[in-house]
Amino acid sequence: MKKISLFFVSVGLLAAATAFADFDSAKWQFKKELLVPSGAGGFGEVVFDAEVFGKAKADLSDVRIVGVNNAEVPYVLATEAPQRSRENYPAAILNKGITPGEFTAFITDIGRGGALNNRLEILTNSENFRRQVAVEGSNDKENWLTIAEKSIYDYTLEFNAKDTSVEYPEATWRYLRVKIFDRGEKPLTILSARVYRETAVAAKEIRYPGVILEQTQDAAHRASVVIIDIGAKGLPTGRIALETDDINFNREIALEGSNDGASWAILGARDVIFSYDTPKFRGAKLETRYGENSYRYLRLTIFNKDNQPITIKGAAAFGLLRKMIFAFDPASRYSLYYGNPLARFPEYDLKDYLAYFDADARRSASLGPEAANDQYVPPAPPIVPFSERYSWLLIAVLVLAVIVVGLLAFQMLKRTVGSPPASP
């Protein structure tokens, strides 16, 4: 109880503290009421919405929390990015063999029992394949339990897309038996394998439903072109997932982004999508990742070659969740200001000691509707130099000067030519 009381006393002091930054509300165009939870004070979290993303600066450096007496409240920006750590185990390959026309099999030995592991990666120099894989676990090489079934693939020759890893529930298996089902195809060349334990905190993403504006055929490039609207510009996204009822296809794709639907920018390298449901292989990849951006429109080009076009039924874009963390007093009122293109990132001490407080004790806050800031004063336009404001006058003066100099030179030349020669 003492620790809890001390925590809330500390938080109360933090909630009462304000930043000494010079906040001038006349420089911010928009604001929202920041609704904090009732009850005890503490640290709050609020997630940005589409209106803030659409009208704040792309890096969110112009967002501010303002409390009573126009006092600026410190905050920390946080992005819910994935966090991964990996512990590798040397994996010796035992009893590798092939049953012609059926499967390739081998056993990996990580050398000791009791070591936690949850992922196997198959290393091969084979290219352009798709296979089903089954993984079994054992600690004595006598009793085996199936722990994972998955499809692996390689499109190195066509699209440079590859996935040969298999994830399974965390366990302490010393031995893993791997079966790669060839089913009449050429066996893969197995070089080695890696076994490791991967711990990850999954990224928290926001889903932005997409509306398919048009889906047309580009006969010249033997391609389908799909334009998707995610609803607003400024939304940070880095992944798009597609929906289709078509099966048994694999297509190269290219992705572009735009905010006006007219000028387009390439988003990363080309990728592949596929979906198979056959006796030898079942699996699908209907999403692609790209460098995070804030475009409203995405243009997907699907290169069909001479195949029947596939129909995209739906799409959604995904972006990492972004939020701000701040100390609050439930008895106070707070506003979120944004929309100042001249603002810089604020610097608060809060970022240096926030980690010392329990993240699980943070409480969710919310944003009210957007309102125009009635105190906003547009910045004065920059002073244009006289020479730029009256460039025509400068040109006229120069032309006149040239004419005058020319006339003077002409008069001097005329006098010189017209004068009688000097007497000897």
Side-chain angles (χ1 to χ4, degrees), residues 23-28 31 70 337 372-378:
F23 181 77
D24 183 356
S25 61
K27 296 179 180 179
W28 270 259
K31 65 179 182 178
N70 224 33
Y337 284 80
N373 178 16
D374 55 11
Q375 297 180 350
Y376 172 67
V377 177

Side-chain angles (χ1 to χ4, degrees), residues 145-200:
L145 178 67
T146 299
I147 57 176
E149 294 180 340
K150 183 180 179 290
S151 59
I152 62 174
Y153 61 86
D154 179 279
Y155 282 97
T156 301
L157 296 180
E158 296 182 79
F159 314 114
N160 196 29
K162 184 175 184 177
D163 181 8
T164 60
S165 65
V166 180
E167 185 178 4
Y168 48 88
E170 191 169 76
T172 57
W173 307 112
R174 173 175 176 173
Y175 303 102
L176 297 173
R177 184 165 65 184
V178 180
K179 288 185 178 180
I180 304 171
F181 295 95
D182 301 314
R183 295 185 173 124
E185 297 189 75
K186 181 180 177 180
L188 305 184
T189 301
I190 306 302
L191 302 177
S192 61
R194 294 179 185 148
V195 177
Y196 45 90
R197 181 195 183 198
E198 186 174 82
T199 56

Side-chain angles (χ1 to χ4, degrees), residues 177-363:
R177 184 165 65 184
V178 180
K179 288 185 178 180
I180 304 171
F181 295 95
D182 301 314
R183 295 185 173 124
E185 297 189 75
K186 181 180 177 180
L188 305 184
T189 301
I190 306 302
L191 302 177
S192 61
R194 294 179 185 148
V195 177
Y196 45 90
R197 181 195 183 198
E198 186 174 82
T199 56
V201 176
K204 291 184 180 180
E205 294 182 312
I206 297 180
R207 181 180 184 272
Y208 302 109
V211 175
I212 296 178
L213 299 181
E214 59 181 71
Q215 193 163 184
T216 58
Q217 303 304 315
D218 181 352
H221 296 91
R222 297 182 297 169
S224 302
V225 179
V226 184
I227 296 180
I228 302 159
D229 178 8
I230 63 171
K233 69 175 183 178
L235 304 178
T237 67
R239 177 169 71 95
I240 185 169
L242 308 171
E243 298 176 18
T244 179
D245 290 334
D246 293 301
I247 58 172
N248 297 332
F249 66 85
N250 67 274
R251 305 290 160 85
E252 185 180 14
I253 62 170
L255 192 65
E256 300 165 283
S258 173
N259 275 325
D260 58 10
S263 56
W264 297 89
I266 296 173
L267 302 181
R270 291 190 178 185
D271 199 0
V272 60
I273 57 173
F274 65 83
S275 178
Y276 289 106
D277 186 358
T278 70
K280 294 184 178 181
F281 180 81
R282 289 184 179 181
K285 175 181 177 293
L286 295 174
E287 68 172 36
T288 185
R289 295 182 180 273
Y290 46 90
E292 189 174 75
N293 66 78
S294 56
Y295 292 115
R296 172 173 178 168
Y297 302 103
L298 300 175
R299 182 166 70 183
L300 176 72
T301 301
I302 306 171
F303 297 96
N304 301 308
K305 298 183 179 178
D306 293 319
N307 300 294
Q308 186 72 17
I310 63 174
T311 301
I312 302 300
K313 292 182 59 180
F318 295 82
L320 295 177
L321 183 146
R322 283 167 167 76
K323 61 186 178 182
M324 57 198 316
I325 304 164
F326 61 100
F328 73 92
D329 177 353
S332 296
R333 296 177 64 89
Y334 300 92
S335 296
L336 180 74
Y337 284 80
Y338 54 98
N340 179 357
L342 302 179
R344 58 165 177 79
F345 266 116
E347 298 183 71
Y348 305 126
D349 290 338
L350 180 59
K351 69 180 185 302
D352 298 320
Y353 60 83
L354 180 63
Y356 298 126
F357 291 89
D358 186 5
D360 292 335
R362 297 173 192 164
R363 303 169 67 194

Side-chain angles (χ1 to χ4, degrees), residues 94-122:
L94 310 173
N95 303 338
K96 182 169 68 174
I98 298 173
T99 300
E102 295 187 26
F103 59 83
T104 301
F106 62 88
I107 295 174
T108 66
D109 178 7
I110 67 172
R112 59 190 176 95
L116 289 169
N117 55 88
N118 59 8
R119 186 179 287 270
L120 168 81
E121 182 179 4
I122 301 168

Side-chain angles (χ1 to χ4, degrees), residues 115-134:
L116 289 169
N117 55 88
N118 59 8
R119 186 179 287 270
L120 168 81
E121 182 179 4
I122 301 168
L123 303 181
T124 174
N125 59 6
S126 299
E127 297 180 325
N128 202 32
F129 62 81
R130 288 149 294 281
R131 296 287 192 277
Q132 296 292 134
V133 174

